[in-house]
Amino acid sequence: VGHDWGAVITYVASARAPDRFRAAVAMSVPHPAVFVRALATPAQLARSWYMLAFQLPGAPGFAAAGEFALIDRLWRTWSPGYQLPAALRRELHATLSASWPAPLLYYRAMTRPLRPALERLRRRDQIAVPTLYLHGAADGCIGADAGAGAERFFSRGYRRDVIPDAGHFLAAEAPAAMAARVIAWLDAHRGPAR
């Protein structure tokens, strides 16, 4: 089960070692090849502006300025109906302060190996792990429609569920709805290892 960058890891792990998984769940980021296709649309390109901004030389400074005001803005934009509780916001900022600029460097490094990695995913056979994809209907980071058409990358089952009234951070915004779908999917795929 992986969310956002964890979803990308879920796809790669499932593609590389399908015998190690009975089922998988990815949330908020569709299959990388589908996401790259969505980036060609003006709407998704506008939502993903921060990825380009994080490539600029001064990005670590402006992203951390004002006690991570930009990060707070991204959270509000990505999950417009969700108010991050003050205690969790303090924990988020403390985590960012302790690890800065490492979270940003992930974005800065992703453009270098992205093309070869996408080519490998495109050339591979379909992912042979039954996969549930969850997305929030109000996600301001990646449009809910960005995951459409991903089923062609999966050979043993794929389902896409859009959770109403939720944005990008499903575990925080709709934990019961998310958990119910995850548990039902994993329970449906119990059984002996392949």
Side-chain angles (χ1 to χ4, degrees):
V1 176
H3 172 262
D4 199 283
W5 286 108
V8 176
I9 293 167
T10 299
Y11 299 126
V12 172
S14 296
R16 290 188 177 173
D19 292 341
R20 298 191 70 181
F21 304 96
R22 289 190 186 114
V25 180
M27 295 182 277
S28 302
V29 174
H31 187 282
V34 175
F35 178 66
V36 168
R37 185 188 69 212
L39 275 173
T41 67
Q44 186 56 53
L45 193 57
R47 285 184 185 103
S48 298
W49 67 269
Y50 66 96
M51 290 181 177
L52 297 173
F54 289 170
Q55 304 306 312
L56 297 173
F62 74 71
E67 296 181 20
F68 298 104
L70 175 61
I71 305 305
D72 289 338
R73 176 181 164 201
L74 290 174
W75 268 73
R76 286 189 307 272
T77 302
W78 295 351
S79 290
Y82 177 70
Q83 177 69 37
L84 187 64
L88 289 177
R89 184 175 174 267
R90 284 191 300 275
E91 287 182 35
L92 171 64
H93 285 207
T95 302
L96 289 169
S97 293
S99 62
W100 201 256
L104 187 68
L105 297 177
Y106 194 87
Y107 287 95
R108 293 171 69 84
M110 76 178 211
T111 58
R112 293 180 190 101
L114 186 59
R115 184 172 298 247
L118 283 173
E119 287 305 316
R120 281 193 303 276
L121 277 173
R122 283 189 192 122
R123 284 194 308 264
R124 284 191 187 278
D125 291 334
Q126 295 174 319
I127 293 173
V129 175
T131 302
L132 170 65
Y133 175 62
L134 299 176
H135 202 100
D139 191 326
C141 178
I142 298 175
D145 58 339
E151 55 279 342
R152 67 188 170 130
F153 294 101
F154 300 87
S155 64
R156 297 206 52 213
Y158 174 81
R159 190 172 86 212
R160 178 175 159 260
D161 281 356
V162 176
I163 298 177
D165 302 320
H168 189 70
F169 299 102
L170 297 174
E173 297 176 71
M178 181 211 71
R181 287 166 171 84
V182 170
I183 291 167
W185 183 259
L186 297 178
D187 279 349
H189 294 90
R190 283 185 186 209
R194 290 186 272 144

